Amino acid sequence: AMGGVVEQQLQDAMASLENQDARLAASVVENDFRVNAMEVAIDEECNLVLARRQPAARDLRLVVAVIKTITDLERIGDEAERIARMASRLAGEEGVTRLFTQIHNLGQHVRGMLHGALDAFAHLDTGKAVEVWSEDRLVDREYESLMRELMTYMMEDPSSIPCVLQAMFAARAIERIGDRAVNICEYVIYLVKGKDVRHTRVDQQPEG
């Protein structure tokens, strides 16, 4: 349920940015409290399980994975809020439609990663987790290409600098969401395989 709320927040934030919809952007900012409240509630449940049941082995890994996952989901919600705030600042600005078009593909890619990571967690599917993880390199390349384009845009039209900077901040928030999705995939592998795969390469991971 928390993942669904976060996905909706990201979808609405991207829509507010692309459509220059200040009202939708404001709703994303206002709804961030829902994500925060869910993180607190789930965290409290996990702490109760640890205190009362003292789980071991896979049960303990499950609780740890949930605690780590909700932390990343809350931070994804924060990034969605940041995107919405950028959208609010850019709403009504002339000549920025081109910027949103360039960001659209990156946003779509990252939204797919987040959905895939949550699906992998729900089904404890390590194959899916590795598949989503491998997408991060593509997102990084897309982000770097977008940054080059935006910098060129600023050099060609110095008057666009304030708007382009906001677009850069939004793109950075989107790229960070991709990193958070990768974190969730790492937790899935940890939960199922009992192996901490942080700081390793995706081609070193087991399939299936």
Side-chain angles (χ1 to χ4, degrees):
M2 183 180 179
V5 172
V6 171
E7 279 194 273
Q8 188 64 52
Q9 284 283 87
L10 176 57
Q11 179 177 326
D12 290 346
M14 290 302 305
S16 71
L17 185 66
E18 293 165 16
N19 301 322
Q20 293 184 266
D21 189 336
R23 182 174 298 179
L24 182 58
S27 74
V28 173
V29 174
E30 292 169 2
N31 285 329
D32 186 57
F33 80 93
R34 295 178 59 199
V35 177
N36 297 338
M38 294 178 98
E39 182 199 18
V40 170
I42 297 170
D43 189 61
E44 288 177 351
E45 290 286 343
C46 289
N47 285 322
L48 286 174
V49 170
L50 290 173
R52 294 177 178 176
R53 302 191 182 183
Q54 299 180 350
R58 181 162 174 164
D59 290 337
L60 177 59
R61 295 203 305 272
L62 173 60
V63 177
V64 171
V66 168
I67 291 172
K68 289 176 177 288
T69 296
I70 62 173
T71 298
D72 275 294
L73 287 175
E74 189 276 332
R75 289 173 179 169
I76 290 172
D78 288 344
E79 299 294 354
E81 181 187 6
R82 288 189 183 93
I83 295 168
R85 290 188 184 279
M86 305 301 170
S88 294
R89 294 181 188 126
L90 291 171
E93 293 285 344
E94 296 181 1
V96 296
T97 303
R98 176 183 168 188
L99 302 180
F100 300 151
T101 301
Q102 292 169 318
I103 292 172
H104 174 78
N105 290 339
L106 180 65
Q108 288 292 95
H109 200 162
V110 167
R111 281 178 57 193
M113 286 180 66
L114 175 58
H115 183 79
L118 291 170
D119 189 59
F121 193 94
H123 297 94
L124 302 183
D125 185 343
T126 58
K128 181 67 174 179
V130 171
E131 178 185 327
V132 173
W133 192 353
S134 67
E135 293 292 307
D136 189 51
R137 291 181 181 178
L138 298 178
V139 167
D140 288 343
R141 285 199 291 268
E142 286 181 23
Y143 172 71
E144 290 167 4
S145 175
L146 177 58
M147 287 298 102
R148 288 193 294 270
E149 289 182 30
L150 292 175
M151 290 178 68
T152 300
Y153 194 93
M154 284 194 295
M155 289 186 287
E156 291 175 351
D157 181 11
S159 67
S160 71
I161 289 175
C163 290
V164 175
L165 285 175
Q166 295 296 321
M168 284 181 163
F169 295 147
R172 178 57 176 155
I174 295 168
E175 191 272 337
R176 284 175 175 166
I177 291 171
D179 292 339
R180 301 291 180 189
V182 168
N183 289 348
I184 295 172
C185 292
E186 292 173 350
Y187 307 148
V188 173
I189 295 170
Y190 165 73
L191 171 57
V192 176
K193 302 288 186 178
K195 180 180 179 182
D196 189 342
V197 295
R198 292 174 297 175
H199 315 302
T200 60
R201 299 196 312 270
V202 67
D203 57 10
Q204 296 175 324
Q205 305 316 311
E207 295 183 359

